[in-house]
Amino acid sequence: MTDNPTSTPTAQALAGIRVLDLSRVLAGPWATQTLGDLGADIVKVEKPGDGDDTRGWGPPWLSDGEGRPTRESAYFLAANRNKRSVTIDMATAQGQALIRRLAQQSDVVVENFKVGGLKRYGLDHESLAALNPRLVTCSITGFGQDGPEAGRAGYDFMIQGMSGLMSVTGSPEGEPQKVGVALVDILTGLNATIGILAALEQRHRTGRGQHIDIALFDVAVASLANQALNFLVGGSAPRRLGNAHPNIVPYQAFETSDGHLILAVGNDAQFARFCRLAEMPELADDARYAINRERVAHRETLVPLIAAALKRQATGEWLAMLDAAGIPAGPINTIAQTFAEPQTLARGLAIHLPHPLGGIAPGVRSPLRLKDSPFDAPTAPPLLGQHTDEVLETLLGVNAAERQALREAGII
């Protein structure tokens, strides 16, 4: 990574932007990892001894070059590539002074402490902006900087429940379900990234940074999308439909003779083609099913007819025919099958990064592909404190003797 932007067409998009990462677990690290994928220099500050909570969230653990398990968790590896790790104890005055100096050398600070958590250390946005008016600070919390719940800690699972997301996820006959990954954390990280990029663009015009308030709860509610509007427009709370869609029919999973597939009919022309393919052409002319709004109104009678037809043949046979007819459909893969998909292989979605302990750290390639500013050389997630000496020396001018004294005092 470079501290100086270049004018060449292949320069990384965020070359010259430095991010001071004071976050941990997932939402904040996901945002900073994304910024790192775009070429920003990410300096991740961690607590000496333990570091980011997720370093201990295993198994599974990464293996070293001899095949022996390390203490590097898969969870930590998922959200921390392209970063430099620095250990600093921010509970100490000397540690706080070091972080303030790093903030003066940074463009962005990302943190996910509880509301007011950094103020007691003199590391809140107002304190840091007084030293560096161009600084953009992004605070990620469970519920935001104000409101009756502002002081509460927020976790993805509980936010999925409170936001209503779980109320529309799962079988109608079963209990509400969370999404199989911490999706609210991921969406919060992405929204934080968008806000940071917008604030940096505004800084080009005004010369000043600003504070960004991102809440998991806000993100989850905003991400309800059509389901939120189904309530706000229709007046009644949407219900769980399993794999079915509240506004489109047929748009769900169906059983075949040897498994399942997803049928995603998006318009009336596709439905008519499907009816011919399934040897039920009369359904496309039936007033109850010819147009989508009627199919939604009569899903209870239509879906069983489609289900019976799809059970007649195997998944692979159906997928080949549906694809040839231009009808959207797909398999329900395991994650192992996903990484064996020809499209996955062709797009190079699995990446393999040399790790400081030897061996290879697997990863998943960023979905961001900028033609004129590619980033094709990601680095493995760092060891705890791997770059402490490097960063303190090159950015702050702390010499070896001073670093040794700080280390002996437990500051770094």
Side-chain angles (χ1 to χ4, degrees):
M1 295 184 181
T2 178
D3 294 332
N4 298 308
T6 70
S7 58
T8 60
T10 56
Q12 296 166 27
L14 294 183
I17 296 296
R18 179 172 294 120
V19 179
L20 183 58
D21 185 0
L22 305 182
S23 69
R24 61 246 187 246
V25 186
L26 188 53
W30 198 266
T32 54
Q33 177 172 262
T34 302
L35 296 169
D37 285 334
L38 294 170
D41 175 18
I42 313 299
V43 177
K44 181 179 179 72
V45 174
E46 302 186 70
K47 182 180 179 181
D50 299 322
D52 189 311
D53 301 34
T54 63
R55 286 185 180 274
W57 288 8
W61 307 103
L62 180 69
S63 295
D64 65 14
E66 303 298 324
R68 298 167 299 200
T70 68
R71 298 306 290 178
E72 300 295 307
S73 74
Y75 201 116
F76 178 82
L77 297 177
N80 288 285
R81 64 176 173 264
N82 304 322
K83 300 180 184 181
R84 297 193 283 173
S85 173
V86 178
T87 52
I88 300 177
D89 185 356
M90 70 169 58
T92 66
Q94 288 174 288
Q96 294 157 19
L98 289 173
I99 293 173
R100 279 192 283 271
R101 291 173 63 189
L102 286 172
Q104 289 179 277
Q105 301 293 321
S106 300
D107 300 280
V108 178
V109 170
V110 177
E111 59 94 0
N112 61 349
F113 285 74
K114 290 174 68 174
V115 173
L118 287 181
K119 190 174 183 63
R120 59 179 172 152
Y121 298 138
L123 299 175
D124 56 303
H125 174 72
E126 289 74 17
S127 300
L128 296 180
L131 302 172
N132 180 2
R134 291 175 56 81
L135 190 67
V136 171
T137 302
C138 180
S139 295
I140 298 173
T141 59
F143 296 94
Q145 300 294 307
D146 53 29
E149 308 288 350
R152 294 183 63 189
Y155 296 89
D156 180 279
F157 189 9
M158 62 180 277
I159 297 295
Q160 287 198 37
M162 290 184 68
S163 68
L165 180 59
M166 288 177 61
S167 76
V168 293
T169 306
S171 168
E173 298 80 22
E175 64 179 8
Q177 293 287 317
K178 68 179 179 66
V179 182
V181 296
L183 190 62
V184 173
D185 276 340
I186 299 298
L187 292 173
T188 299
L190 295 176
N191 275 276
T193 302
I194 294 168
I196 289 166
L197 295 176
L200 288 173
E201 175 60 25
Q202 184 171 5
R203 190 183 71 172
H204 291 322
R205 300 192 298 271
T206 66
R208 298 187 64 83
Q210 61 180 295
H211 183 239
I212 301 169
D213 171 12
I214 296 284
L216 272 70
F217 184 73
D218 296 357
V219 169
V221 174
S223 299
L224 292 174
N226 60 296
Q227 292 285 42
L229 269 294
N230 286 343
F231 165 70
L232 293 173
V233 172
S236 59
R239 58 190 178 89
R240 293 192 302 282
L241 293 173
N243 289 315
H245 195 288
N247 305 111
I248 310 173
V249 175
Y251 197 100
Q252 65 187 77
F254 287 96
E255 186 178 356
T256 65
S257 65
D258 67 346
H260 293 82
L261 61 75
I262 292 171
L263 180 64
V265 171
N267 58 52
D268 299 335
Q270 290 175 2
F271 180 70
R273 293 201 300 275
F274 169 75
C275 291
R276 292 193 295 271
L277 190 67
E279 300 179 354
M280 302 183 295
E282 67 281 1
L283 296 184
D285 297 321
D286 191 315
R288 296 172 297 171
Y289 312 131
I291 59 177
N292 181 69
R293 67 170 176 265
E294 294 301 327
R295 292 195 294 275
V296 171
H298 297 93
R299 72 168 75 226
E300 288 78 9
T301 56
L302 175 60
V303 168
L305 298 175
I306 296 173
L310 288 173
K311 283 184 181 179
R312 294 197 300 260
Q313 291 178 264
T315 299
E317 296 171 334
W318 274 119
L319 291 177
M321 292 189 295
L322 290 166
D323 183 61
I327 300 167
I332 301 176
N333 284 338
T334 65
I335 293 178
Q337 290 171 327
T338 295
F339 279 98
E341 277 277 357
Q343 187 66 15
T344 302
L345 300 174
R347 297 284 282 180
L349 298 186
I351 57 177
H352 308 280
L353 309 175
H355 193 268
L357 293 178
I360 297 296
V364 180
R365 180 173 177 167
S366 168
L368 302 173
R369 301 187 186 219
L370 282 65
K371 182 177 180 181
D372 290 339
S373 49
F375 187 55
D376 296 326
T379 58
L383 300 176
L384 178 62
Q386 179 182 340
H387 304 94
T388 301
D389 287 344
E390 170 190 312
V391 169
L392 294 187
E393 180 178 11
T394 59
L395 297 188
L396 304 185
V398 180
N399 64 37
E402 293 170 323
R403 296 197 304 273
Q404 182 61 27
L406 289 168
R407 189 166 282 113
E408 290 174 356
I411 307 300
I412 64 173

